[in-house]
Amino acid sequence: VVHDQRVQSTNGDMLTPVVVHMLDNSCVTIAVDENTTVDQAVKQMSKRVGLSMVLSHLFGLFMSMDGSVVGQRGLADDLVLDMVDQCAKVVFAPMLMVPTLLEKNKNNKVVVRLLFSQLMHDFIMGTYKTIGYPEGIKLAAMCVFAKYGHIAEKKRTRKFLESRLFEFIPAYLLKMAKTTKETCDKVWQNYEELNTSIDRVSAMNAAIGYARSMPEVEHVWMCTSRSDR
């Protein structure tokens, strides 16, 4: 953020545009002043992404020092501009994984998309290192379907998938295969076994459910806060 990019609001306040990143690599720009707190910015973000205010307290702003790894969470009373100055990216992500969020919002497209983005981010970053190759390949296939929907059989090629493997499979699992061709073939084999008639939200829920069936993933998701990991 460059602070000389400030603009004046209709009530005379000087506002600074702040780019807040999401775990799916999208971003939202919000306008803050020098006194805007993290709590206030989270509420702004919740409104912008269509998240109910009832659930906004379960989300937070996190600092990414290298632009990839999501690290320390900003406290409610921290100033957003101070936080921005200390890191490469500010990231909006789930903070508390409680039953209200996980179990009671499976038809909420906004919540499901945010949780699915967290699942993919954590999986790719190697957070769940006990996931073995077969389970990881199946989860990758489920994530491919959740992201791209139904893919015609003639398009299920190594060319389509090879350049995208790092979006769906962590490096430690890729190293377990002899070739990328082997990994691509196995992802498509698992893809063929999926129920591809379901909608995208259901597909995301299916991927989340499968991941949570693994003890380590469930343990991480039920931690009180991302910053405890």
Side-chain angles (χ1 to χ4, degrees):
V1 175
V2 179
H3 291 251
D4 60 8
Q5 292 181 344
R6 292 183 299 173
V7 296
Q8 191 170 22
S9 69
T10 54
N11 62 6
D13 292 335
M14 296 305 296
L15 301 177
T16 300
V18 170
V19 177
V20 180
H21 297 263
M22 315 283 279
L23 291 176
D24 63 359
N25 293 321
S26 64
C27 60
V28 173
T29 301
I30 61 174
V32 304
D33 62 33
E34 60 184 9
N35 297 314
T36 300
T37 65
V38 167
D39 182 62
Q40 292 169 332
V42 167
K43 290 175 180 175
Q44 274 198 60
M45 281 296 300
S46 297
K47 185 176 181 179
R48 289 291 305 277
V49 302
L51 183 68
S52 167
M53 287 296 111
V54 176
L55 299 173
S56 65
H57 70 286
L58 300 176
F59 289 76
L61 295 183
F62 298 80
M63 292 192 291
S64 175
M65 307 310 290
D66 62 358
S68 297
V69 178
V70 178
Q72 183 177 344
R73 174 170 59 88
L75 300 179
D77 293 331
D78 289 348
L79 297 179
V80 173
L81 291 180
D82 287 348
M83 188 177 179
V84 168
D85 287 340
Q86 296 174 38
C87 62
K89 283 184 180 179
V90 172
V91 181
F92 180 75
M95 178 175 68
L96 299 176
M97 293 303 195
V98 296
T100 300
L101 185 60
L102 294 172
E103 306 298 343
K104 296 184 179 181
N105 293 281
K106 291 186 176 180
N107 295 318
N108 185 318
K109 293 181 180 179
V110 175
V111 172
V112 172
R113 181 174 64 84
L114 290 168
L115 295 183
F116 177 72
S117 297
Q118 179 186 322
L119 170 65
M120 285 193 65
H121 176 272
D122 288 351
F123 181 43
I124 294 304
M125 296 305 296
T127 301
Y128 316 125
K129 290 192 180 297
T130 62
I131 294 181
Y133 187 78
E135 295 82 10
I137 292 298
K138 180 176 179 179
L139 180 57
M142 298 177 82
C143 290
V144 168
F145 173 58
K147 182 170 182 177
Y148 293 107
H150 177 72
I151 300 171
E153 187 172 356
K154 65 180 180 180
K155 294 184 178 180
R156 298 175 200 168
T157 62
R158 180 162 54 114
K159 182 179 179 180
F160 175 91
L161 196 55
E162 195 168 37
S163 63
R164 297 174 169 88
L165 280 180
F166 284 101
E167 295 180 36
F168 300 100
I169 303 175
Y172 80 91
L173 288 182
L174 289 174
K175 293 176 182 178
M176 293 183 183
K178 294 179 180 179
T179 63
T180 55
K181 179 181 183 302
E182 176 186 343
T183 300
C184 290
D185 289 346
K186 289 186 180 297
V187 170
W188 288 130
Q189 288 169 13
N190 277 268
Y191 182 94
E192 290 172 1
E193 297 173 3
L194 300 176
N195 176 8
T196 55
S197 65
I198 60 177
D199 60 34
R200 299 281 290 281
V201 172
S202 298
M204 290 180 187
N205 272 320
I208 292 169
Y210 176 67
R212 288 185 63 202
S213 71
M214 302 177 211
E216 185 195 11
V217 177
E218 180 67 356
H219 171 73
V220 171
W221 275 50
M222 294 309 292
C223 283
T224 56
S225 169
R226 292 179 61 91
S227 59
D228 294 336
R229 297 182 188 182

